[in-house]
Amino acid sequence: MLKVLEQARKAVFWILDALKGGGVRKHYREIRQIQNNPDSRKSREITEASLSQLLKHAINTVPHYFDITDAEPRLDMFPVIDKQTVREKFEQFKSQEYAHRHTHRVTTSGSTGKPFNILHDKNKRQRNTADTIFFAERAGFELGSRIYYLRLWDKQYKKNKYLSSIQNISMHSVDDLSDDNIAQLIKKLEHDGSTKSLLAYTSALDTICNYLDKNHAKPLDCKINSAIAIAEAMGEEVKTKVYKYFGAELLSRYSNSENGILAQQRSRNSTRSFEINWASYHIEILDLNTDKPTTPGEPGRIVVTDLFNYSMPLIRYDTGDVGVMDIDKDYGSLSFSRIEGRKMDMFTNTKGEYVSSHIIHHILQFDGIEQFQFVEEENDVYVIKLKVSEAFERSSEIGIRDKYMEYFGDDAKIRIKYVNDIPLLPSGKRKLVLNKAMQKQKDLASKSLTL
């Protein structure tokens, strides 16, 4: 009976889309064509045409780009922009063609706490819906089945009970993952006979798995078809634990609120690479300090051109994130081999060289660590905050310092601080890396510009 209801939901979704003009279905087919054949002549023609049309639209209707007068504008004629640029010149980024059309305002604060607004038009929202369906299916999800969605359910995202029931979403907020609530969630999962998928903040899944570890739990009796981690970097430890307890391969999704799904890890892929959403975005990797492209295999800033938001085009938008793009040996296509997270969340060693933030996950080789956070206070001073259980041995401090001196430098000053909790950000995420040294340098640079 449950399977019949799931199939009915799927059929109703596509019927309603057809009655509204079939916009999502059209986008879905195009995404599938391009993502399954990214290097084919047809796919390249489609994406090149999408980029050309967007650039022409921007120079003709968006005030910020009126100084670009070439009839056939190229992408390199457009300056790299970031959140601060859009905040300061918000009105200039709005397309005059959409001044009197309905648009949807998306607000995000991320880890900065500063609100960032962007407008999406109807076609962009349909594209995002199609992207979501396609990439969820890549992970094993089937439209109509139940999604256990763990995130911060604030006013912008929270759905009413009727809508969540129609979409078959079971909402659980990450700001309320006490032991009692986790126990209730586990019980619900095990008693739910539906086809189920997990979509959750990485830290939420980590909290649940740590609870199961602490209670010496056995693998859960609940069939999970797909599991996707969002919003935060994912280490191999949480991936392994999710497979142990839920029997599902956990895949990491790279997305943001202002754009949508930018990339997602491929299933059963030995390289752990991320399939880039070439169908909906043109993505560049630029040098960490200049706007020159990096060579494949080198880390750089992830810069995105959204091909489908015409109401407020984001062209060459610096996401603030750092990644590495390379050819995936299993698929032969250009992919993200690594996504490091925000540039402001990377480490520098005592020589001032960038160090991958992924090194933090080595901390989990030491028993009894429940939560952790790394803080770079100065260019040679590092604080590792730990929430530990009784299983943690204080003698492990020597091994922790030795391990991280390998990355930070033999002259690094590493201090370990024990805490009762690593608090969540207002976004519901848990910040694992905090580079105060880089932030101080940025603040000083900003002050010098205003003097």
Side-chain angles (χ1 to χ4, degrees):
M1 183 62 181
L2 289 172
K3 188 65 177 177
V4 173
L5 288 173
E6 291 165 9
Q7 292 296 327
R9 283 190 176 95
K10 181 177 181 179
V12 168
F13 176 87
W14 289 121
I15 290 170
L16 289 175
D17 177 60
L19 292 173
K20 295 175 184 177
V24 176
R25 173 76 77 176
K26 179 182 177 182
H27 283 301
Y28 174 82
R29 287 173 173 163
E30 183 177 280
I31 293 163
R32 186 174 59 188
Q33 155 66 36
I34 295 169
Q35 293 302 126
N36 289 340
N37 309 278
D39 297 321
S40 72
R41 180 177 177 180
K42 183 176 180 180
S43 294
R44 290 186 181 278
E45 286 176 351
I46 293 171
T47 54
E48 287 171 6
S50 294
L51 178 60
S52 176
Q53 290 166 15
L54 174 79
L55 300 184
K56 289 177 182 178
H57 168 79
I59 65 170
N60 289 318
T61 74
V62 180
H64 187 73
Y65 299 116
F66 281 173
D67 59 343
I68 301 175
T69 57
D70 198 295
E72 296 291 334
R74 302 186 315 273
L75 188 62
D76 60 7
M77 295 177 178
F78 290 73
V80 176
I81 60 172
D82 58 17
K83 278 188 173 72
Q84 190 58 31
T85 311
V86 179
R87 279 196 196 99
E88 292 174 353
K89 302 177 180 179
F90 186 81
E91 294 298 322
Q92 292 185 35
F93 280 95
K94 292 165 65 174
S95 169
Q96 294 176 344
E97 187 177 311
Y98 285 76
H100 302 292
R101 297 191 196 181
H102 175 74
T103 55
H104 179 80
R105 182 180 291 264
V106 176
T107 302
T108 176
S109 60
S111 59
T112 64
K114 297 179 181 178
F116 177 70
N117 297 304
I118 190 76
L119 302 178
H120 285 175
D121 54 69
K122 179 182 176 182
N123 191 55
K124 167 63 180 174
R125 286 172 65 77
Q126 290 179 334
R127 187 72 177 197
N128 277 3
T129 298
D131 276 334
T132 300
I133 294 169
F134 177 83
F135 281 95
E137 288 178 347
R138 279 283 210 241
F141 168 79
E142 184 176 351
L143 186 63
S145 61
R146 180 160 298 166
I147 303 173
Y148 280 78
Y149 198 172
L150 284 75
R151 60 161 300 141
L152 183 68
W153 287 104
D154 57 16
K155 184 170 67 174
Q156 178 181 190
Y157 296 103
K158 190 172 180 64
K159 303 174 185 290
N160 62 50
K161 289 184 178 180
Y162 175 76
L163 185 58
S164 61
S165 175
I166 292 296
Q167 296 180 343
N168 212 2
I169 294 174
S170 181
M171 297 181 291
H172 298 269
S173 191
V174 297
D175 60 354
D176 198 19
L177 286 180
S178 64
D179 282 2
D180 287 344
N181 286 339
I182 292 174
Q184 290 178 24
L185 172 60
I186 296 302
K187 185 177 180 180
K188 184 177 178 181
L189 281 165
E190 291 197 304
H191 285 82
D192 184 354
S194 303
T195 305
K196 298 179 289 295
S197 294
L198 289 175
L199 181 63
Y201 288 175
T202 309
S203 56
L205 292 171
D206 193 38
T207 299
I208 292 169
C209 289
N210 285 339
Y211 166 85
L212 294 168
D213 280 346
K214 184 170 60 177
N215 288 278
H216 308 289
K218 295 180 180 179
L220 304 181
D221 184 19
C222 62
K223 181 173 174 54
I224 302 292
N225 276 21
S226 72
I228 298 174
I230 59 173
E232 301 152 321
M234 183 188 79
E236 287 299 308
E237 294 78 11
V238 68
K239 185 182 183 78
T240 300
K241 288 181 179 180
V242 167
Y243 186 78
K244 172 185 175 181
Y245 289 117
F246 296 95
E249 181 186 16
L250 182 63
L251 302 178
S252 180
R253 174 180 289 174
Y254 173 49
S255 62
N256 60 34
S257 298
E258 55 268 38
N259 297 123
I261 298 174
L262 300 172
Q264 182 174 288
Q265 276 186 330
R266 293 180 169 95
S267 178
R268 296 181 293 277
N269 181 24
S270 64
T271 66
R272 300 282 192 263
S273 71
F274 289 72
E275 176 185 6
I276 297 173
N277 186 359
W278 294 115
S280 298
Y281 306 96
H282 181 90
I283 297 180
E284 305 170 82
I285 301 293
L286 302 183
D287 183 81
L288 291 171
N289 299 305
T290 71
D291 289 343
K292 295 180 180 179
T294 63
T295 57
E298 289 186 356
R301 294 173 295 138
I302 298 174
V303 176
V304 173
T305 296
D306 189 328
L307 300 177
F308 288 89
N309 189 9
Y310 274 50
S311 61
M312 199 168 181
L314 288 182
I315 299 172
R316 305 195 81 191
Y317 170 68
D318 187 337
T319 62
D321 298 326
V322 174
V324 178
M325 198 182 284
D326 215 337
I327 299 294
D328 182 285
K329 65 180 180 63
D330 288 355
Y331 287 83
S333 58
L334 205 54
S335 309
F336 283 129
S337 56
R338 293 202 313 274
I339 297 173
E340 301 285 1
R342 303 191 67 77
K343 181 181 176 182
M344 295 302 295
D345 293 339
M346 293 181 70
F347 298 112
T348 53
N349 60 22
T350 55
K351 296 179 181 177
E353 300 165 333
Y354 285 107
V355 179
S356 170
S357 57
H358 286 290
I359 64 170
I360 62 175
H361 297 290
H362 292 306
I363 196 80
L364 294 176
Q365 67 186 259
F366 300 94
D367 293 334
I369 296 175
E370 295 185 349
Q371 295 177 10
F372 61 89
Q373 183 183 63
F374 284 68
V375 183
E376 183 174 343
E377 296 282 356
E378 303 289 348
N379 288 119
D380 61 349
V381 179
Y382 308 84
V383 176
I384 302 175
K385 296 181 180 181
L386 299 177
K387 177 187 176 183
V388 299
S389 68
E390 293 179 357
F392 181 78
E393 296 181 3
R394 294 298 175 105
S395 59
S396 297
E397 287 187 12
I398 297 172
I400 292 172
R401 287 194 180 92
D402 287 346
K403 166 57 69 176
Y404 285 98
M405 285 177 77
E406 294 176 17
Y407 299 104
F408 298 142
D410 292 337
D411 54 342
K413 303 176 184 68
I414 301 175
R415 182 165 63 91
I416 295 174
K417 181 179 179 181
Y418 297 97
V419 298
N420 294 323
D421 188 46
I422 307 293
L424 297 176
L425 296 168
S427 62
K429 305 170 190 176
R430 181 169 281 120
K431 201 170 184 68
L432 301 183
V433 178
L434 186 59
N435 194 324
K436 291 185 178 180
M438 198 178 294
Q439 185 61 53
K440 289 174 185 175
Q441 293 173 3
K442 183 179 179 182
D443 291 344
L444 286 171
S446 297
K447 287 181 180 179
S448 66
L449 290 173
T450 58
L451 294 176

